[in-house]
Amino acid sequence: MDLEDVTAPACCAPLSGPALGEDDAAELAGVFKALSDPVRLRLLNMIASADAGEACVCDLTGAFELTAPTISHHLKVLRQAGLIDGERRGTWVYYRVVPERLTRLAGLFTLPHLASA
């Protein structure tokens, strides 16, 4: 799997670049709000690092001392933020990260290359 070079100018505008518009800032704030919960961060990490690039909800729930509906709520928040996508197969849902979304987030924190004096 080829990863996009997030340092390339065509990828996305870093925070150190031009000023964010109001709509972009509001959208990104929603994504960061979704990521501000430790359970959601762990879920995203588990999904991103799962074999074959996807994780069954049945494999995610056992890692937490939370009820299945609570895990489902956290997964819903991640889906609404566009960070993960899911596919129902029988009684289970399999989740995978949305690579473009994570690449965009990574690109936000790319600092410009400063010439050394």
Side-chain angles (χ1 to χ4, degrees), residues 27-46:
E27 176 191 353
L28 287 169
V31 173
F32 286 119
K33 184 175 180 181
L35 291 173
S36 68
D37 184 281
V39 171
R40 291 193 285 268
L41 276 175
R42 287 183 60 207
L43 284 168
L44 184 63
N45 172 254
M46 291 172 70

Side-chain angles (χ1 to χ4, degrees), residues 26-113:
E27 176 191 353
L28 287 169
V31 173
F32 286 119
K33 184 175 180 181
L35 291 173
S36 68
D37 184 281
V39 171
R40 291 193 285 268
L41 276 175
R42 287 183 60 207
L43 284 168
L44 184 63
N45 172 254
M46 291 172 70
I47 295 166
S49 63
D51 292 338
E54 64 181 12
C56 176
V57 69
C58 59
D59 296 326
L60 299 172
T61 55
F64 300 91
E65 293 183 16
L66 299 169
T67 64
T70 301
I71 296 296
S72 292
H73 166 75
H74 287 298
L75 290 167
K76 178 182 174 183
V77 171
L78 291 171
R79 279 184 88 163
Q80 289 173 334
L83 296 166
I84 62 171
D85 196 10
E87 177 184 336
R88 181 169 291 283
R89 298 182 201 152
T91 54
W92 300 112
V93 178
Y94 288 78
Y95 291 97
R96 64 194 155 282
V97 298
V98 177
E100 302 82 19
R101 192 70 157 175
L102 294 183
T103 299
R104 181 172 183 225
L105 287 177
L108 285 171
F109 299 104
T110 302
L111 294 175
H113 296 287

Side-chain angles (χ1 to χ4, degrees), residues 3-18:
L3 296 178
E4 183 177 353
D5 179 6
V6 297
T7 62
C11 168
C12 39
L15 289 175
S16 60

